[in-house]
Amino acid sequence: MATIPAHDTRFRIASPPIRADEPSAWRLIGFASLAIPIAGAGLPLILFVPQLYASHYGLSLATIGLIFFLGRFWDVAADPFVGVLSDRTRSRFGRRRPWIAAGGLLFGLGSALLFFPPAAVAPLYLAAALFLFYAGWTMIEVPFSAWAGELSGAYHGRTRSVTFQQTAQASGLLLVLILPTLLEQLRPADIALKLHVVGGFILLTLAPALVLSLTAFREPPRPAYEPRPEGFLRTASLILRDRLLVRVLASDVAVTAGQSIRAGLITFFAVNYMGQPGWASGLYLFQFIFGVFAAPIWLQIGRRLGKRETAIVGELVQVAINLGLLFVVPGGIGLLLALTIAQGLAQGSGNLMLRAMVADVADHHELETGHNRTGLFFSVFSLATKAGPAIGIGIALPFVAWMGFSPKGANPPEALETLKYVFALGPALAHILSAALIWRFPLNEQRHATIRRALDARAAGQLPL
C-alpha cells in the first residue's frame, strides 16, 4: 500500500478540483440538532437514574452497578460492529440514514422506559431499558459522526461540520444542567420529578431533531466501483496498523482522561478544599455556559493554523489553565471562577480538532486500501472517547483516597493539598501528553488536498485502484 508523500505532485495535474463547497449554516444546524438529545441524556443517566432506582425502587447499589457495567460493556462492544455494518449498508436511503432512524426509535423507547418507570421496578426492567437505550445511542452516534465527516471533502469544511455538532452537544449539556438546577429551588428532594423533566426534554427534542437530521442532506452517492468486503478480524488488524489513526486515538484518550479527572474531582475540590459547597454545581454551570461558545472560536483558529496546530495550541492552553489552579487558595473563589470560565472557552478544543482529523485519516486509508471505512474509524474513535474517562477516574479517585483524602470531611492539610495537586496536575499532564502525541502529525491541509485529488481522480476513472 503506497502512501502519498507531502511533496508528490502526480495527482495535481489534470485532476478534478477538490469539493470545497460548504453546506449552509441552516442545514448544518438542522443536521447537528440530533446531538442535543443525545448529549442531554448522558449526564442525567449517571446523576439521577442510579439514585432514583436505589432510593425509590429499592434496587441495591450492587445490582445497579452491575447492570450499568454490563450496559456500558454492551455499548462499547457494539460500536465497531455498528461502524462496520453502516459502512457496508447499501439501501435506497443511504448508508447512515437507516441506522440513525432505527437507532432513534430504540433510543426513544429506552429513554421513555428509563426516565418514566412504572410504579414497581425489577432489576430485569432496568437492564432491558438500559440495553435498548445504549443500543439506540450507538446506532445513532457512530453513523451520525461518520456522516458529519462525509458532508464535505474540504479540509476545513469537516471541522466546520464537527463544530456545529459540538456546539449542539454543548447546548444540550447546558440545558440539561439548567433544568434540574431550577427544580432544586422548588422541590430539591424530588428526584423523580427531575428524572421526568429530563426524560421529557430528551423525548421532546428527539422527534424533531431526528426529522431535521435525516432530511438536512443527501448522503454521498455510491462509488462506481466497490472493493470486496474483508473479514472483521482482517479489518481490525488494518485499523491497528494505521499509525495515523492510532496517534489520533491515543491523543483523544489522553484528552478525555484529563477532562474526566477534572470532572471527577471538581465537586470535592469546591466542597472540601475551597470550603464552598454552594459553588459545587455552579462551577459546572459556568463552564458549560461558556463552553457553548468554545467550538466556533476554535473553528476560526483552526482555519488560520490548521487542525494539528490548533489541537496542540488548545491542549497547551488547557495545560496553562490547570496549572493556574495551583495558585487557588481556600476561599479564593474569584480566581477559580476565572479559570473555570477560561476552561469553558477552551472546552473541547482538542476533541474538536481530533474528531475532524478522523475523517482526513479515513481518506488516507481509503486511498491506500480502496475501502471507505469512515464509520469504522469513527466507531473506534468513540471507543477511545469512552476509554479516556475510565482511565482518568480509575487513576485519580483511588490515588487521592490512598493519599488520605475522605469526601466525608475531617481531612488533614496534607490530604487536601494532594487533592489540589491531583486536580491541577493530573489534567495538565494528560493535555501535555495529548499534544505530544500529535506534535509531528504529518497529515496537514496540503497533504490532505493531494489525497482528495487522488480520490476524486479515482472516482472519475482517472486513477486505478
Side-chain angles (χ1 to χ4, degrees), residues 17-357:
I18 298 174
R19 298 188 305 274
D21 55 307
E22 292 192 349
S24 71
W26 285 111
R27 284 182 176 270
L28 282 173
I29 290 172
F31 178 80
S33 63
L34 190 52
I36 294 176
I38 299 299
L43 197 59
L45 184 70
I46 303 301
L47 291 180
F48 304 134
V49 171
Q51 187 177 4
L52 178 72
Y53 279 75
S55 60
H56 284 239
Y57 297 104
L59 273 63
S60 70
L61 290 177
T63 299
I64 294 173
L66 177 62
I67 291 172
F68 267 80
F69 172 79
L70 294 175
R72 199 59 171 172
F73 180 82
W74 154 250
D75 175 40
V76 169
D79 278 355
F81 288 100
V82 171
V84 170
L85 292 174
S86 72
D87 282 339
R88 296 180 180 179
T89 296
R90 301 293 179 264
S91 77
R92 57 178 294 193
F93 303 105
R95 290 186 297 171
R96 317 299 180 191
R97 190 180 279 114
W99 285 91
I100 295 173
L105 294 176
L106 290 180
F107 181 78
L109 178 59
S111 298
L113 293 174
L114 277 174
F115 294 101
F116 296 94
V121 168
L124 185 60
Y125 175 92
L126 176 59
L130 205 59
F131 175 87
L132 292 173
F133 179 90
Y134 276 131
W137 192 335
T138 298
M139 290 169 65
I140 294 174
E141 185 182 38
V142 172
F144 185 50
S145 298
W147 195 358
E150 295 166 337
L151 289 178
S152 172
Y155 181 78
H156 294 299
R158 286 167 168 176
T159 310
R160 183 168 174 259
S161 301
V162 175
T163 297
F164 276 82
Q165 273 191 319
Q166 191 154 313
T167 303
Q169 182 181 31
S171 301
L173 285 170
L174 176 60
L175 289 171
V176 88
L177 278 173
I178 288 176
L179 290 173
T181 302
L182 294 176
L183 285 176
E184 283 181 355
Q185 309 304 315
L186 302 173
R187 297 168 67 176
D190 197 339
I191 303 171
L193 179 60
K194 294 179 186 177
L195 201 69
H196 294 160
V197 168
V198 169
F201 168 80
I202 294 167
L203 295 177
L204 288 174
T205 56
L206 177 63
L210 267 175
V211 174
L212 289 172
S213 294
L214 294 175
T215 59
F217 297 103
R218 292 179 179 271
E219 288 201 50
R222 291 176 60 175
Y225 174 82
E226 296 179 283
R228 184 178 179 181
E230 295 177 316
F232 185 81
L233 293 179
R234 165 68 175 166
T235 301
S237 67
L238 287 172
I239 296 301
L240 294 175
R241 292 205 302 268
D242 193 307
R243 295 182 180 180
L244 296 181
L245 180 63
V246 169
R247 288 174 68 174
V248 172
L249 297 178
S251 181
D252 190 66
V253 168
V255 171
T256 52
Q259 292 168 338
S260 70
I261 293 173
R262 177 180 176 85
L265 297 180
I266 190 169
T267 299
F268 298 140
F269 186 77
V271 174
N272 298 88
Y273 182 85
M274 297 295 295
Q276 300 282 348
W279 280 100
S281 299
L283 291 174
Y284 253 130
L285 195 58
F286 263 91
Q287 180 173 326
F288 281 108
I289 287 173
F290 287 91
V292 172
F293 306 101
I297 292 172
W298 290 96
L299 169 63
Q300 297 306 317
I301 297 173
R303 287 185 181 276
R304 292 178 176 273
L305 301 182
K307 295 174 189 175
R308 177 186 71 89
E309 293 82 356
T310 303
I312 291 171
V313 169
E315 293 308 291
L316 295 181
V317 166
Q318 298 210 49
V319 169
I321 292 170
N322 283 282
L323 291 179
L325 293 168
L326 295 174
F327 300 97
V328 173
V329 296
I333 196 66
L335 177 58
L336 180 58
L337 203 55
L339 292 171
T340 301
I341 293 172
Q343 180 69 37
L345 294 174
Q347 179 175 290
S349 52
N351 308 88
L352 171 65
M353 294 300 149
L354 292 170
R355 182 173 290 273
M357 288 161 68

Side-chain angles (χ1 to χ4, degrees), residues 360-371:
D360 299 339
V361 175
D363 280 348
H364 178 269
H365 179 85
E366 182 180 0
L367 184 62
E368 288 191 325
T369 66
H371 289 267

